[in-house]
Amino acid sequence: MIGRRSRVKSVLIHAVLITVTVVTLFPVALVMRKSLSPGNEFELSLNPIPEKTTISHYKTVLSARDFSGRWLFGRQLWNSFVVAVLTTIMGVFLASTAAYALSRFRFPGRRFGMMIFLVVQMFPATLIMIPLYVILDRLGLLDSVLGLVLVYSTTAIPFCVFMLKGYFDTIPRELEEAAWIDGASRFGMFWRVVLPLSKPALAVTALFSFMTAWNEYILAETFLNNEASYTLPVMLKHYVGDKSADWGSFAAGAILVSLPVMALFYMLQKALVSGLTAGGVKG
Amino acid sequence: MKQRTASLRGVILTWFLGAVVLGVFTLGAMVRQRNLATRASNERAARQRLADLQGPVRIALARGETARVQELLEGAASRADVSEAVLLRSKTLSTNLAFLRDVHLVAHGDRTIGVGPIRGEVRSRALSPAYAKQLYDWTGRVLERKRTDLRWLSPPGVAERMEVGQRISLPKGDYVLGLRVRPLIRPVAVPVLLLVVLLLMGLAVPLANRAATGRWQWLASGAGMAFMGAACGVLLAGYETWVVRAPASTGVGGLLSTGISQGVPGGGVGYVWGLVSLVVLGLVGLAWRGTGHRVASAFKEHRIAMAYIVPAALGMIVLVLVPFAVGIVLGFFNHCDGRFEYVGLANFTDILSGGGTSVTDPLNFWFTLGVTLLWTSLNVVLHVSIGLGLALLLKDPLLKGKGVYRVLLILPWAVPNYITALMWKGMFHQQFGAVNQVLGVFGIDKVSWFSHFWTSFTANVVTNTWLGFPFMMVVTLGALQSIPTDLYEAAEVDGASKWYQFSRITLPLLKPALLPAVILGAIWTFNMFNVIYLVSAGEPAGSTDILITEAYRWAFIRHERYGLAAAYATLIFLILLAYSLITNRVAKGAEGTFK
């Protein structure tokens, strides 16, 4: 009796889960299909497997050139990459020392500092976008990689601080004390003990800030004017404007741009969850 | 004793620096006085010429703007909200587009080309081909398709932007005339008296501070800081007007007089001065509270910690706090044509009063706020219930293929959210969209998703639900694992029903983990720019915009009104701040019950 009931139950559970999963995967499958099938519009079909296959969309995206014959995809890829890498470096470099101080020292203003980092991390950069735009305009940094890196750092630094502080807190102080007894300086303790021990956390943090910068759309859209200086998200958006939409190229581009970061995401998501939920709460 | 001397020194220092700042401002005022006079006479001349222009220009007027433009052209140029004529050529297309939006008037030789504001995604700064393709007017007629085709807009030999008073000569043939009409916000005078009073009060406080002890001392210091801060704010925000207006009569009388400003060229200087005075006054505040010394000694004592924290702190100050401060100050200004002028609280009152629109108007702040709150609560409820439901299903230890489901179900989280948004926009396409296909299977007619408020809103919500439930699911799964199973066994033994177990064991134990996630999720959703901006784009007629996209539109799509947009952003910040203060308490309370 009990066996039968639980079997019915598990079938039901599976049915629900399968339905939800299909609904979840369907849009992505459609994009996959579109990227491989000819034509610029979505087809009138629910079948996610393409009837005719072509790689022409991928070719279009990869070989796009502007008026003066510059290879757009290459440039945009490079822009995205440079922006993301510089943001990561800036974030991790500045944040690792700050996170260490917040984790190990007790000093006046510590709680306040933590609070500022938390508040900034919670509130999006979109809020200070307007003043940033005005300031960068005055400084002549619109449309430049440097300007965008500065803007992205506003979100990257607090995020990195929190992720790293959470991890530093888990490293036992005894290790540092041992190093201290062996004659290491304060900086030596940080540099030779704590940092090597937190390599995994550093890697995760770095990859996350890389991903965030890589995936950012609206700030890039606002701050960049020139096709050759676009990052990849801006390029993708421009395939599907209001009046004319090339969904094929968009789909192909979306897959090219997002597959690597999606893979990264899957590798890292557990760390992200613990970082997001644990890092912020403990004072 | 130490405290006493410190605050006395502070008072002297404050007076001294205050005097320096006032001196600098007065000097600046005198220098600019001349420019202003020239400007005023130029303006009169320009208005005259504008009035002369009406003959040959073929005019088409947009809804809403009719009266003002007509008035202008009929020579009623004395209105304060119309101050200059701008003649543009398309050296940069961006300028032209900004002008097209602002002006609602385009003439091309004998032919009237464009009527009304241009809808769609037209930005002020640049025009990529993709944008150019979207150039069409409010009647839906396509104006131009390609970037290069727009070159005809250029009238030969005319300056891109005319300074006020510069002679406008129109060659026969193709030309475009733009009349830049100022928004109807009127500049407000800086209450100079108020400023002085604030400064004096700020100075009076440390004197009281000397007499006070203990807790009162802190209070007095705090009050002093607040007064000083308020003075800073007024000073900063009022700079432009100050310099313009003060020397109307010289001396103290001039400084105390109030009046209306007409923006000063080169408003950027105002910022520099504003920031400088902010820093100076901040330092003064510190010195005068006697904290300067304390901070210095704290620095010495904790110098190692400071060495570690300083790089990031500097980064944050430069990248976040300064823009933040500038943003707040910008809210007190109106931006027009590259110039900022002080308008006091006009932006805020304009927003909060709805700016003459009714509450049902999409441009009304309260309408947008309502939409935003509805949007946030609906999404959070959906995220949490779907996430929780799935997590409960996946919890079952006997379930096969758990890992596979889990990996597949977090896919939406992995997809960059701008791609998600665009993808769903495609799926909601009326003709080709998959959503209408699915509905068609059930015999439902094709829905034009973005032409009604509720359907458009639904499209946004569906997209964001797809995007957001995995996060809640993962968080809940993690929290569920930490609930000891013997609790359930004990409940089972006691004969508790499943619902009873869920409501008395699962939910209370999930709360500590779920609450921060919900709070965070609500803030994310509140600011979920990409979904709104890319899926519905505010359609129809801006009604599905949330606060943050509305702010963006004011800054970058309509009229470059940075001031108004900054005021919006400030209001959003205040709302979020209030929200987090409240939720912080709630979260702390919840934490307390489980300790």
Side-chain angles (χ1 to χ4, degrees), chain A residues 19-163:
Chain A
T19 319
V20 176
T21 312
V22 167
V23 171
T24 307
L25 296 186
F26 182 64
V28 180
L30 273 189
V31 171
M32 283 284 220
R33 172 200 157 93
K34 184 62 246 171
S35 78
L36 288 170
S37 48
N40 286 342
E41 286 294 350
F42 272 125
E43 285 86 15
L44 299 161
S45 159
L46 288 175
N47 173 15
I49 294 146
E51 284 132 24
K52 272 184 274 174
T53 339
T54 165
I55 54 160
S56 68
H57 294 311
Y58 288 93
K59 272 192 193 153
T60 318
V61 172
L62 286 175
S63 61
R65 282 173 194 283
D66 68 357
F67 302 125
S68 42
R70 287 177 295 190
W71 182 39
L72 283 178
F73 186 82
R75 275 168 179 267
Q76 288 158 351
L77 182 70
W78 175 246
N79 291 339
S80 274
F81 186 75
V82 169
V83 169
V85 165
L86 288 181
T87 307
T88 308
I89 292 173
M90 185 130 171
V92 173
F93 174 74
L94 290 182
S96 57
T97 53
Y100 182 70
L102 289 173
S103 161
R104 288 295 190 267
F105 298 105
R106 294 289 173 273
F107 53 91
R110 176 175 170 275
R111 287 196 69 85
F112 180 72
M114 295 271 293
M115 206 186 75
I116 294 273
F117 280 122
L118 183 68
V119 167
V120 171
Q121 191 202 3
M122 279 189 346
F123 295 165
T126 331
L127 264 186
I128 52 168
M129 182 151 81
I130 293 141
L132 276 174
Y133 186 87
V134 173
I135 292 169
L136 290 188
D137 192 14
R138 299 260 147 139
L139 295 176
L141 281 178
L142 283 182
D143 216 6
S144 83
V145 169
L146 184 64
L148 208 57
V149 169
L150 291 179
V151 174
Y152 287 173
S153 298
T154 57
T155 37
I157 294 173
F159 174 77
C160 294
V161 166
F162 265 94
M163 293 285 281

Side-chain angles (χ1 to χ4, degrees), chain A residues 28 31 211 214-215 232 236 250-266, chain B residues 414-420 423:
Chain A
V28 180
V31 171
M211 260 171 57
W214 181 271
N215 286 341
L232 292 169
L236 275 183
F250 165 74
I255 284 175
L256 284 175
V257 173
S258 59
L259 266 193
V261 287
M262 281 165 68
L264 257 184
F265 177 85
Y266 270 102
Chain B
V415 182
N417 66 15
Y418 71 100
I419 290 184
T420 305
M423 182 172 89

